[in-house]
Amino acid sequence: MSTLVDLAAEQDIRLPANLTDATALQVPANERGWFRFQRSYDAARKVVRSEEAMRRIVREAAADDAAEGSRRLELQIDPTSYAPFVGGITPALEIVLDEAASASQATGVEVAIIVAASRIKHPLDARTLARLAAKHAGDGPGQVVGFGLSNDERRGQTSQWAGAFQIARRAGLASVPHAGELLGPDHIREVVTHLQPTRLGHGVRAAEDPELLARIVDAGIALEVCPTSNVQLGVYDSPGDVPLRRLADAGAQVALGADDPLLFLSRLTDQYQIARDQGFSDAELAGFAKASITASLASAESKQCWLSEVDDWLAVNPSAD
């Protein structure tokens, strides 16, 4: 939050009170609620108007994750948001990739990038982004590892973005669209059918349909489950209602994530605490960590290293049974 305040002050931008009062955003799970969330998100993004500001966000995100003990950070970006301030979408992405590589060296956290299209923009714009992402495809720090689709799940027809995802997959990029938070199983089916995801951003509401959940498990599609987001966006009433146990018992590959720490004031370690509060053992929490590693888009060598670290933790933790 301090960075947000600093950047706003530098540009004489007045921030809405909800971004500076240290109170987590909480909205109902309807279109008005999403509008309030998006308005806050856009207000925060508005202060990022220069190359240095972009670099600072990436650099500090890596430092924050390093402080928590993370090993890999896959940041999602829509370069069109910053293109007007740095000369276009190509330099916008290249700035982020360059800083991701530098931040990786400085912090020890591998920082890779997911390029994401938006449901509120034309699907042809998504194809342009997919082609740009494809030029920088790879699995290491400072490279593009996946292609996503974000914003309000209720907007547009999912099939309209299939072409962009085909472009991305041909370049070896993983398909990582958002689905299954604001909308339920029927929408998840559409996304699985048309976008062929490697991971689903959220996907938590697959728990409402055992047949769909089994299909996701059989296909090896990982779920990026963000309990705090689910509550703050009104999908569930409390963290205890997030169906982590149902997902885990079904064999789903659950990768816990924080989604949006700035607006929800909750980071990755808080998501593990929510799982612990639901009764998950240390060994099961380690299983979530392993699932996050396996579901990451890192190299096989990096994954093996981090999986061994989790095993080492289990070996010395007397309560991990």
Side-chain angles (χ1 to χ4, degrees):
M1 185 177 294
S2 61
T3 298
L4 178 69
V5 173
D6 287 348
L7 292 175
E10 288 173 5
Q11 300 171 75
D12 197 26
I13 294 175
R14 183 175 180 179
L15 295 169
N18 67 290
L19 287 178
T20 58
D21 63 5
T23 300
L25 180 71
Q26 186 150 10
V27 298
N30 55 31
E31 291 195 25
R32 172 171 285 191
W34 181 265
F35 174 77
R36 287 174 55 195
F37 166 78
Q38 190 65 48
R39 183 172 57 185
S40 295
Y41 186 90
D42 289 342
R45 184 168 52 188
K46 185 179 179 181
V47 307
V48 184
R49 293 186 169 189
S50 68
E51 176 177 342
E52 177 49 38
M54 293 169 66
R55 289 183 179 276
R56 180 177 178 181
I57 296 298
V58 175
R59 185 167 62 245
E60 293 186 1
D64 287 345
D65 271 38
E68 286 188 317
S70 293
R71 298 292 187 264
R72 172 87 169 185
L73 174 60
E74 294 177 353
L75 283 173
Q76 180 173 286
I77 176 177
D78 177 355
T80 60
S81 301
Y82 313 105
F85 311 110
V86 295
I89 60 172
T90 297
L93 179 58
E94 289 175 346
I95 287 166
V96 170
L97 294 175
D98 183 66
E99 191 59 38
S102 297
S104 298
Q105 285 192 323
T107 64
V109 175
E110 288 192 4
V111 184
I113 301 300
I114 293 169
V115 173
S118 173
R119 281 184 172 272
I120 65 172
K121 297 177 182 177
H122 198 282
L124 290 179
D125 292 340
R127 295 190 182 212
T128 299
L129 286 177
R131 293 186 186 98
L132 175 62
K135 293 179 181 179
H136 300 278
D139 62 12
Q143 294 181 302
V144 178
V145 295
F147 189 73
L149 181 63
S150 62
N151 215 296
D152 191 345
E153 295 172 43
R154 292 164 292 217
R155 301 291 292 271
Q157 294 181 350
T158 299
S159 60
Q160 295 177 312
W161 283 277
F165 278 81
Q166 288 173 357
I167 293 169
R169 282 196 303 275
R170 284 198 297 267
L173 297 174
S175 171
V176 288
H178 280 61
E181 184 179 37
L182 298 178
L183 296 180
D186 287 344
H187 181 251
I188 297 175
R189 283 191 181 86
E190 291 181 5
V191 171
V192 169
T193 298
H194 295 292
L195 306 185
Q196 302 175 37
T198 304
R199 297 194 314 236
L200 282 175
H202 302 295
V204 66
R205 293 185 61 186
E208 299 170 12
D209 187 323
E211 182 276 332
L212 172 63
L213 183 53
R215 177 183 173 187
I216 287 171
V217 171
D218 291 344
I221 300 170
L223 304 179
E224 303 167 3
V225 180
C226 310
T228 296
S229 171
N230 301 156
V231 175
Q232 301 304 105
L233 290 180
V235 179
Y236 300 109
D237 291 334
S238 71
D241 295 327
V242 179
L244 286 174
R245 178 59 68 185
R246 268 183 283 165
L247 294 172
D249 287 351
Q253 188 176 5
V254 174
L256 294 177
D259 200 15
D260 198 324
L262 176 64
L263 298 184
F264 300 142
L265 304 183
S266 182
R267 294 192 56 82
L268 178 59
T269 52
D270 297 307
Q271 314 314 306
Y272 278 87
Q273 185 61 53
I274 288 172
R276 185 183 294 280
D277 291 343
Q278 286 196 14
F280 284 88
S281 68
D282 285 350
E284 289 174 315
L285 295 181
F288 285 140
K290 284 190 169 186
S292 295
I293 293 168
T294 302
S296 79
L297 304 170
S299 68
E301 181 180 6
S302 291
K303 288 183 183 183
Q304 187 55 55
C305 176
W306 303 329
L307 289 170
S308 295
E309 290 181 344
V310 176
D311 286 335
D312 291 343
W313 178 83
L314 283 171
V316 300
N317 190 328
S319 63
D321 53 24

